[in-house]
Amino acid sequence: MRHRPPRGTAVAAVLVTVLAGCTLPPGAVPTGTAPDQGITVTTGAAPNQDVVALPEGSIDTAVEELPGIVQAALQRTGVPGAAVAVVHGGETVFAEGYGVRKLGEDGAVDADTVFQIASLSKPVGATVVAREVSQGVVEWTTPVADLLSGFELEDPWVSTHATIGDFYAHRTGLPPAAGDLLEDIGYDRDYIIDHLRHQPLNPFRASYGYANFGTTIGAEAVAAAAGTDWESLSEEQLYKPLGMDRTSSRHDDFLGRENRATLHTRVADRTFEPLYERDADAQAPAGGVSSTVDDLSRWMTLILASGTYDGEELLEEKALLPAISAQSISSHPTAADQRAGQYGFGFGVGVHPGGRVSLSHSGAFNLGAATTVVMMPSADVGIVVLTNASPVGAPEAIAAAFLDEVQFGHATRDWVEAYGKATANLSLPAGDLPGVPAPTDPAPAQTLSAYTGEYTNEYFGTATVTEEDGSLVLAVGPEGGTTAVLEHWDADTFAFTPRGENAPKGSLSSVVFALDGGTATSMTVDFFQSQSGDLGTWRRAG
């Protein structure tokens, strides 16, 4: 059985980095030159705030170079459209769109085009939580079980002790992508959160598992404490105060925008097509926000100003700082000269080669979206890039090339190539059968009626296998709404093509029936088994 990394969460997990300090205090930035090296150092109040000084005028120059950076990245990757914004000194200094909202149509992308921002929803949502912490509604250390009645995970002790912060830092022990396949087959937020109690846990606070529905649990707890739903809370506590008029955590609102970007799925190298919709309402706090670069510029301005916007303190710096500080090791070094990846409460946090702290997050839907944000507090600069195509590293490459110009005055590497390689695994087919030759002389199956019937699974729910027009059809999810034809492979093994966010083009999975007395008693579906911690076996009902 072939196990493979989760897909819907992999981009953000790959790109989280380290936070080691905070914004330099005003007046604490004398400069000096390192002996015999010609390196100008901007020194802070403490040694861990020292950074390599920026070249004179580099931010202005980087902004001037940005259109060419964006256009080159889109041309090289084939991504249909992008919107990019830069904030600096409390202002939006750049906001432009490139390409088209949908291939084959005339609508151009501009700064007001609404994109689905995928996992960039996490740091936006963490800002909502920070505001609730500021107002005394919750603390990052509040156990979610105190706020969500009946909440439980596999381990009772973890169930009662896991905090809002633990879920936002992905350190509860939930495995990566826990719950994502339940969403893929149509289950709603309540069902998914309830059934995560069946997921085997990794060590509590000693492991990192990037999970959309872990973040969603933390957000649901905060909304419960506030006495409202998460979507309304986000709107009232963040979007409205910042004037983010085109931002929403509801998919219906996104569909209601005339100026919106269509998802484009990668079907070949540099080739994308508008094939699918992606309703992420079930995981809205983690991946369901839609927004514009103009709106997100307002949010970046708030973060870079440590919670102040337009002269008003919207959240206390002490409530925000834990979110933008390292809380979990997201990736351990594999060599002594590597920096570890770290994660805060909803923010990726890191240190650039010049010593500057960055706050970042990427997001992606394999069905057709890729986004990124990077903020550099010591330079008071941030960039957000939204695109309408499957993840191929384009937004990250644009942001990295811009920040190279900011920090060093020149590119340090080919970022399109580097991030293309970093995201290549996301388009690999899922399941255990891609590339496996079909048997040339397969053993015959039983009569199809031997496999038909109803099967139960405590995690994925009921599945039915029926015979239609001489083939087996598998139906899973609420009311059997997700179906697939099972093609005979060999003996009691069949094959099917999974669909959805976690099943890129070319995916192919086995379905293995176990029989007793000529009748199937169980079936194991590799696509579900290998991505859910061995929970993909259904047993015949009754």
Side-chain angles (χ1 to χ4, degrees):
M1 185 171 295
R2 187 168 63 122
H3 292 258
R4 47 180 294 279
R7 299 180 182 277
T9 61
V11 169
V14 164
L15 299 170
V16 291
T17 46
V18 186
L19 178 68
C22 57
T23 305
L24 299 179
V29 289
T31 62
T33 300
D36 302 322
Q37 296 185 36
I39 298 174
T40 302
V41 176
T42 300
T43 57
N48 64 354
Q49 292 176 305
D50 295 350
V51 296
V52 175
L54 303 181
E56 185 176 355
S58 66
I59 294 178
D60 291 339
T61 301
V63 170
E64 292 174 2
E65 296 289 336
L66 191 50
I69 291 171
V70 177
Q71 290 163 354
L74 298 189
Q75 182 178 16
R76 290 179 62 186
T77 61
V79 169
V84 185
V86 175
V87 297
H88 176 57
E91 297 181 354
T92 300
V93 297
F94 183 94
E96 290 187 2
Y98 301 84
V100 296
R101 302 194 301 262
K102 183 177 182 180
L103 286 172
E105 298 184 3
D106 293 333
V109 174
D110 58 32
D112 293 326
T113 298
V114 180
F115 287 76
Q116 293 176 270
I117 69 173
S119 283
L120 216 162
S121 305
K122 292 180 177 68
V124 172
T127 311
V128 177
V129 178
R131 187 147 202 232
E132 295 304 285
V133 172
S134 298
Q135 296 172 352
V137 177
V138 295
E139 299 290 342
W140 288 108
T141 54
T142 303
V144 299
D146 291 354
L147 305 173
L148 297 179
S149 178
F151 173 76
E152 60 178 315
L153 295 176
E154 184 193 48
D155 186 314
W157 194 92
V158 174
S159 300
T160 57
H161 288 80
T163 66
I164 294 167
D166 289 328
F167 282 99
Y168 267 87
H170 304 297
R171 64 187 185 195
T172 62
L174 281 172
D180 283 3
L181 291 186
L182 293 176
E183 181 191 21
D184 273 6
I185 61 176
Y187 286 111
D188 62 17
R189 189 182 308 174
D190 289 342
Y191 179 98
I192 295 168
I193 291 176
D194 179 63
H195 285 73
L196 287 178
R197 69 184 186 274
H198 297 297
Q199 280 279 357
L201 297 179
N202 295 315
F204 181 50
R205 293 181 184 160
S207 59
Y208 176 86
Y210 186 91
N212 290 312
F213 286 96
T215 301
T216 302
I217 289 168
E220 284 288 283
V222 175
T228 187
D229 61 89
W230 175 258
E231 293 75 13
S232 298
L233 182 68
S234 300
E235 184 177 11
E236 294 299 324
Q237 294 298 314
L238 187 65
Y239 307 156
K240 284 185 177 179
L242 290 183
M244 298 170 69
D245 297 333
R246 292 173 296 277
T247 302
S248 176
S249 296
R250 301 179 180 91
H251 188 63
D252 280 349
D253 289 344
F254 169 73
L255 294 178
R257 312 287 188 190
E258 182 177 351
N259 184 5
R260 70 177 187 273
T262 297
L263 301 182
H264 292 78
T265 303
R266 186 183 186 187
V267 296
D269 184 40
R270 299 188 69 255
T271 303
F272 300 86
E273 294 181 5
L275 300 176
Y276 304 108
E277 293 284 347
R278 174 74 166 95
D279 181 345
D281 275 354
Q283 55 160 281
V289 174
S290 58
S291 189
T292 70
V293 293
D294 182 69
D295 278 7
L296 291 170
S297 294
R298 300 167 185 264
W299 166 71
M300 286 194 294
T301 300
L302 173 74
I303 300 302
L304 287 169
S306 300
T308 298
Y309 185 79
D310 199 20
E312 179 184 355
E313 183 183 77
L314 292 185
L315 53 125
E316 296 178 348
E317 184 175 2
K318 67 180 182 180
L320 176 63
L321 186 57
I324 59 175
S325 301
Q327 303 289 342
S328 299
I329 297 177
S330 57
S331 62
H332 290 269
T334 59
D337 60 354
Q338 285 185 356
R339 290 181 289 273
Q342 298 189 46
Y343 199 86
F345 294 148
F347 285 79
V349 290
V351 178
H352 282 259
R356 294 182 182 274
V357 170
S358 70
L359 314 176
S360 65
H361 215 291
S362 286
F365 293 150
N366 271 312
L367 296 181
T371 63
T372 201
V373 64
V374 187
M375 290 173 276
M376 195 173 286
S378 64
D380 194 17
V381 66
I383 180 171
V384 60
V385 185
L386 309 178
T387 72
N388 59 351
S390 300
V392 292
E396 293 81 14
I398 291 166
F402 170 78
L403 292 171
D404 265 1
E405 295 289 344
V406 167
Q407 296 175 90
F408 313 117
H410 61 84
T412 61
R413 66 170 63 204
D414 184 338
W415 288 109
V416 172
E417 179 182 5
Y419 277 109
K421 291 179 179 178
T423 57
N425 71 305
L426 300 175
S427 59
L428 295 177
D432 57 333
L433 296 180
V436 178
T440 57
D441 186 22
Q446 305 290 322
T447 58
L448 295 185
S449 60
Y451 309 106
T452 59
E454 184 176 288
Y455 297 79
T456 61
N457 178 296
E458 62 183 4
Y459 184 66
F460 288 107
T462 299
T464 59
V465 178
T466 57
E467 181 180 350
E468 299 181 19
D469 299 325
S471 298
L472 293 179
V473 176
L474 171 68
V476 296
E479 300 180 356
T482 299
T483 62
V485 175
L486 306 185
E487 302 286 349
H488 183 245
W489 186 265
D490 186 34
D492 300 316
T493 297
F494 292 74
F496 84 102
T497 300
R499 307 290 185 189
E501 175 63 28
N502 292 280
K505 182 181 179 181
S507 297
L508 190 65
S509 171
S510 66
V511 179
V512 180
F513 290 91
L515 279 76
D516 183 12
T519 299
T521 58
S522 68
M523 64 174 176
T524 298
V525 184
D526 176 80
F527 176 70
F528 295 102
Q529 180 84 344
S530 62
Q531 297 192 64
S532 66
D534 297 335
L535 295 175
T537 295
W538 279 258
R539 304 195 182 282
R540 184 178 289 277

